[in-house]
Amino acid sequence: MDLAIERVLFTEEQIQARIREVADEISARYAGHDLKLIGVLKGSIFFLTALARHITVPVKIDLLAISSFGKGAPGVVRIAKDLDEPIEGEDVLLVEDIVDTGLTSRYLLQTLAARNPRSLGLCTMLDRTIRRLIQVRVDFRCFEIPDRFLVGFGLDYKQLYRNLGYIAVLKP
Ligand code: IMP
Ligand code: MG
C-alpha cells in the first residue's frame, strides 16, 4: 500500500456491496421510467459506472465538468464542460463522488433544475454531513463519512489516487 495512506476506510468489497444496494433502491424508485445519470468529471465517473452496471431500469449517461475558482472562493464553481444533451422532461439523477459543504451540489442542482427535467435527484457515494454549510437533499447515498480527507474510488489528492479500488484516509 502507498506510504501516504493512513488506513483503508472502505474496502473494494464493501464499496461494491453497498453500490449494489443503492442501485437496487434506485431501480425500485424509478421503476417504469428511463433514468438519466449525470456524472461530474472527474471524481464521480468511477462511482457512476459501478452504479450504472447494477441499475435495472433503462439508463442514459451524460457528463459535465466543473472548475472551481480556487481556495479563495469555496463553492464558487462554473461549468467547464456542459452536458451533450438537453434534460427537459427527463428523470435525472445527479451522481456525485462526495457531498461535503454542499456548495457544489447546490450549484449543479440549481443549474440542472432550470432546464426543466421531469424530476431531479441527487445520489452521492460519500456524504460528509458534519461539514455541510447549506442544506441539500441527498436522495441516495452509500456512506456517511468522518471529517478526514479521503482518496480512492475517484477521489483525488492533487489528481492522484483516483484509481484506487478502496477508499482510504490520507496521512495529514
Ligand atoms: P463541496 O464542499 O460539497 O462543494 O465539495 C467540493 C469538492 O471537494 C468535492 O466534489 C470533491 O471534489 C472535493 N472534496 C471534498 N472532500 C474531499 C475529500 O475528502 N477527498 C477528496 N476530495 C474532496
Ligand atoms: Mg469532485
Side-chain angles (χ1 to χ4, degrees):
M1 194 157 37
D2 194 290
L3 286 172
I5 301 297
E6 184 176 297
R7 69 190 162 92
V8 174
L9 193 60
F10 303 112
T11 65
E12 188 156 8
E13 292 69 32
Q14 288 173 316
I15 298 166
Q16 294 295 349
R18 185 64 191 128
I19 286 176
R20 275 177 188 265
E21 290 176 355
V22 172
D24 288 346
E25 279 178 50
I26 291 170
S27 302
R29 181 83 64 90
Y30 293 94
H33 296 269
D34 291 4
L35 177 62
K36 179 169 279 183
L37 301 177
I38 293 185
V40 187
L41 296 169
K42 316 186 210 11
S44 81
I45 57 168
F46 294 81
F47 175 48
L48 184 143
T49 55
L51 183 72
R53 226 168 281 162
H54 298 293
I55 293 176
T56 54
V57 299
V59 159
K60 295 178 185 176
I61 286 169
D62 207 343
L63 299 168
L64 54 79
I66 53 173
S67 60
S68 62
F69 285 101
K71 285 210 171 79
V76 182
V77 294
R78 65 177 180 86
I79 293 183
K81 179 228 170 282
D82 207 338
L83 300 174
D84 291 332
E85 310 265 348
I87 57 170
E88 187 170 353
E90 296 190 284
D91 288 292
V92 171
L93 192 57
L94 177 64
V95 179
E96 282 271 28
D97 49 358
I98 180 168
V99 180
D100 191 41
T101 63
L103 291 165
T104 305
S105 301
R106 181 181 67 171
Y107 170 80
L108 291 176
L109 288 169
Q110 282 175 344
T111 303
L112 295 174
R115 299 178 187 188
N116 300 316
R118 181 175 173 276
S119 70
L120 179 60
L122 172 61
C123 175
T124 187
M125 178 171 72
L126 304 178
D127 192 358
R128 194 187 276 128
T129 52
I130 195 169
R131 293 237 321 150
R132 202 73 98 244
L133 292 178
I134 48 152
Q135 199 87 26
V136 221
R137 193 190 73 231
V138 174
D139 299 282
F140 307 94
R141 71 157 176 221
C142 291
F143 302 107
E144 170 75 45
I145 51 160
D147 195 5
R148 292 294 310 275
F149 194 85
L150 304 178
V151 293
F153 219 93
L155 294 168
D156 73 300
Y157 173 68
K158 295 186 175 172
Q159 299 302 329
L160 291 171
Y161 308 110
R162 292 191 196 274
N163 60 323
L164 298 180
Y166 51 87
I167 293 171
V169 178
L170 203 62
K171 279 182 188 160

